[in-house]
């Protein structure tokens, strides 16, 4: 498998150019997409990855297979639009079967991103080659890696996902889908996987279904995607979600074959996909993500009313909730903050003076609308609080009379170990401060978060959260982890004490 015309780029230090306030938003690990049974499949994958770019912006990769040319791959740093739109590159990825991945690192190298960590990963087995792309995080990856190395495996990357390839290589099963089942039974944590052999497209979700994966039909072919919005861009018909614990093996001749290799478990889909991660034009569990976020705003207005003159979203993730809050409260909605849509991460040489401009490079206050008004700012979350403080200062500098924060998620007090880049617990504002203390720290007139029950009602659970058997994974809010983070516990992480 090669990419002869385009040698791998040198390692790029994204931390050197990343906005210092980027750590104040939770980051998705990645997005995955696959197509089978369509000519020039890699072009469709590139389009799908472009629609999933919000799930990972550091790097992307595509692997394709052609009966005459075999497996070919391309892995690049940066955006899909800057790499996978060149005909000269896409011509090196022929075939009617391809998978792809966009990456934001959680497990793996930090600071110095390496091209070798960019997925999909490829392995050559006795029965042929296979490529795999993974969304999520393996919570026992370090233990597995140590075991595999001791038994002779040679790792090429620092990614937890590579463990799956090595586990497949050691399996005694006679075909690749069965080897993948073997491998994934050893894996703990959260995973949605797209994989490919020479003839098959494979999709798998972990038994709890923490991370998303959907099935679509495009012409005579099939596709798998992290979100439905990526089906729309290629004109695919949404068929259904891959069920928690399900494996699908897809060929043009036989269509979709469904397997259930894991023990049944109570699903625990990531509730933060509803709040922030997924694009608002996607559908999750039969519900519009946009409508869910608007309903979060409605619940927030009921739980935390305040006298004010204007409801203003922190763009763009706070917009649907702000619309819902304004509608329910009767307070006018206005775009008091405007995003600079053309501000890229590497927009300018990141001198100290430029870094100190912080959010002002990305956001600007609509002074004519804000001046003299009592403003409700609606945002999706507060992580470290640095961005919230700077936005508050910008609003006050523009002449606002009062600033009230309303947050469309409960306090983020616990790190995520299932595929989200979360700061250490002591760096999470809600882990060290009460709501009143956070309000004082941010210097705002009031601060309120939606309750966990309110969030559950907004996503369609009329009775709120079932505390004995939660319907979603909400560990970042509750500290209740559905899968024990074994590697982190060995490093000294303290789980929440049972109540």
């Amino acid at each position: 498998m090669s990419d002869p015309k385009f040698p791998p780029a040198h390692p790029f230090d994204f931390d050197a150019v990343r906005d210092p306030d980027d750590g104040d938003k939770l980051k998705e690990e990645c997005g995955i997409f696959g197509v089978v049974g369509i000519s020039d499949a890699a072009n469709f994958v590139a389009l799908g990855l472009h629609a999933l770019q919000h799930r990972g912006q550091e790097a992307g990769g595509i692997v394709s297979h052609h009966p005459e040319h075999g497996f070919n791959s391309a892995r690049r740093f940066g955006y899909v639009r800057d790499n996978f739109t060149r005909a000269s590159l896409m011509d090196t990825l022929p075939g009617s079967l391809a998978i792809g991945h966009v990456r934001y690192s959680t497990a793996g190298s930090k600071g110095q991103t390496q091209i070798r960590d960019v997925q999909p990963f490829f392995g050559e087995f006795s029965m042929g080659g296979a490529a795999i792309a993974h969304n999520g995080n393996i919570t026992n990856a370090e233990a597995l890696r140590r075991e595999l190395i001791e038994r002779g495996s040679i790792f090429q990357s620092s990614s937890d996902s590579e463990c799956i390839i090595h586990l497949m290589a050691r399996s005694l099963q006679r075909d690749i889908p069965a080897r993948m089942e073997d491998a994934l039974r050893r894996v703990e944590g959260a995973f949605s996987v797209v994989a490919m052999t020479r003839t098959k497209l494979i999709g798998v979700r972990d038994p709890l279904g923490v991370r998303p994966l959907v099935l679509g039909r495009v012409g005579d072919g099939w596709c798998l995607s992290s979100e439905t919005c990526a089906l729309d861009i290629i004109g695919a018909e949404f068929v259904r979600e891959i069920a928690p614990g399900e494996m699908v093996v897809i060929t043009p001749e036989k269509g979709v074959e469904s397997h259930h290799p894991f023990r049944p478990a109570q699903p625990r889909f990531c509730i933060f996909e509803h709040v922030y991660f997924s694009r608002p034009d996607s559908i999750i569990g039969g519900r519009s993500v946009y409508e869910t976020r608007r309903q979060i705003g409605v619940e927030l207005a009921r739980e935390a009313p305040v006298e004010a003159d204007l409801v203003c979203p922190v763009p763009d993730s706070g917009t649907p909730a702000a619309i819902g809050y304004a509608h329910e409260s009767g307070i006018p909605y206005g775009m008091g903050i405007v995003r600079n849509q053309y501000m890229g991460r590497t927009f300018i040489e990141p001198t100290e003076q430029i870094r100190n401009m912080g959010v002002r490079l990305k956001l600007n206050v609509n002074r004519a609308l804000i001046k003299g008004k009592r403003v409700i700012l609606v945002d999706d979350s507060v992580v470290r609080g640095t961005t919230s403080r700077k936005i508050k200062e910008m609003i006050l500098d523009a002449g606002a009379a009062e600033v009230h924060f309303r947050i469309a998620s409960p306090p983020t007090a616990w790190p995520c170990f299932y595929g989200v880049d979360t700061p250490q617990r002591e760096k999470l504002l809600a882990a060290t401060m009460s709501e009143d203390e956070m309000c004082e720290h941010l210097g705002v007139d009031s601060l309120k978060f939606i309750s966990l029950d309110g969030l559950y009602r907004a996503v369609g659970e009329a009775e709120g959260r079932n505390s004995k058997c939660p319907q979603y994974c909400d560990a970042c809010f509750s500290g209740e982890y559905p899968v024990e983070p074994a590697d982190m516990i060995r490093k000294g992480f303290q789980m929440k004490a049972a109540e």
Side-chain angles (χ1 to χ4, degrees), residues 421-441:
D421 188 27
T422 315
Q424 295 175 331
R425 185 159 193 256
E426 58 269 21
K427 295 182 179 179
L428 295 169
L429 206 63
T432 58
M433 296 183 186
S434 67
E435 193 173 276
D436 289 342
E437 288 170 334
M438 283 189 277
C439 182
E440 184 177 352
H441 174 76

Side-chain angles (χ1 to χ4, degrees), residues 319-334:
T319 300
I323 291 171
Y325 192 104
H327 183 269
E328 180 67 17
S329 66
I331 300 171
Y333 168 91

Side-chain angles (χ1 to χ4, degrees), residues 72-131:
N72 285 277
S73 74
R75 295 185 285 179
R76 295 289 180 272
F77 291 119
Y79 295 126
V80 173
R81 70 183 183 213
D82 296 330
N83 292 307
F84 296 101
T85 55
R86 293 176 291 161
S88 53
L89 175 59
M90 300 311 292
D91 286 345
T92 69
L93 299 168
S96 60
L97 175 56
I99 64 171
H101 184 274
V102 284
R103 177 180 191 266
Y104 184 93
S105 60
T106 56
S109 58
K110 290 289 186 180
Q112 192 77 3
T113 301
Q114 303 287 338
I115 197 69
R116 66 190 183 191
D117 293 320
V118 180
Q119 300 182 43
F121 293 128
F122 178 82
E124 192 71 60
F125 306 102
S126 59
M127 67 286 294

Side-chain angles (χ1 to χ4, degrees), residues 479-480 495-499:
E480 298 176 17
M495 295 274 284
K496 182 180 178 181
E499 295 179 357

Side-chain angles (χ1 to χ4, degrees), residues 246-363:
E246 182 184 15
M247 169 187 277
V248 291
V249 180
I250 309 172
T251 59
E253 298 78 20
K254 294 183 178 179
V256 180
E257 297 178 350
S258 178
H259 306 267
H260 295 272
F262 310 106
R263 291 180 179 178
Q266 177 67 34
R268 296 288 295 274
F269 182 68
C270 172
I271 201 166
F272 218 87
E273 290 279 354
H274 287 285
V275 174
Y276 177 64
F277 294 150
S278 295
R279 257 178 44 169
D281 50 336
S282 285
I283 305 294
I284 296 176
R287 293 176 59 87
S288 158
V289 173
Y290 173 88
E291 181 56 31
T292 293
R293 291 177 187 167
R294 192 196 68 82
Q295 190 61 35
I296 290 173
V298 170
E299 292 288 340
L300 190 53
R302 292 169 181 168
E303 291 185 352
V306 63
E307 291 187 6
D309 305 305
L310 183 71
V311 176
C312 170
V314 176
D316 292 309
S317 53
T319 300
I323 291 171
Y325 192 104
H327 183 269
E328 180 67 17
S329 66
I331 300 171
Y333 168 91
M335 293 298 293
I337 302 174
V338 178
R339 175 179 288 278
N340 178 0
Q341 300 291 345
Y342 301 100
M343 170 61 196
R345 185 177 287 169
T346 56
F347 156 70
I348 196 167
E349 185 67 25
T351 63
E352 189 64 28
Q353 183 179 7
I354 293 298
R355 287 195 187 100
N356 288 339
M357 291 182 182
V359 295
R360 293 179 186 272
L361 289 172
K362 297 181 178 180
L363 305 174

Side-chain angles (χ1 to χ4, degrees), residues 300 311-314 318-319 321-322 325 376-380 404-406 408:
L300 190 53
V311 176
C312 170
V314 176
T319 300
Y325 192 104
I376 300 172
L377 291 176
V378 180
D379 203 356
D380 60 87
H404 303 271
F405 263 111
R406 293 296 179 266

Side-chain angles (χ1 to χ4, degrees), residues 55 58 62 74 79 99 115 117 136 140 144 158 160 163 170 173 195 205 245 285 300 333 336 355 366 408 423:
R55 301 186 71 88
E58 282 193 351
I62 296 175
Y79 295 126
I99 64 171
I115 197 69
D117 293 320
N140 64 334
L144 288 173
S158 62
D160 61 337
C163 289
R170 291 191 168 273
Q173 297 296 324
R205 283 181 79 187
L300 190 53
Y333 168 91
R355 287 195 187 100
N366 187 347

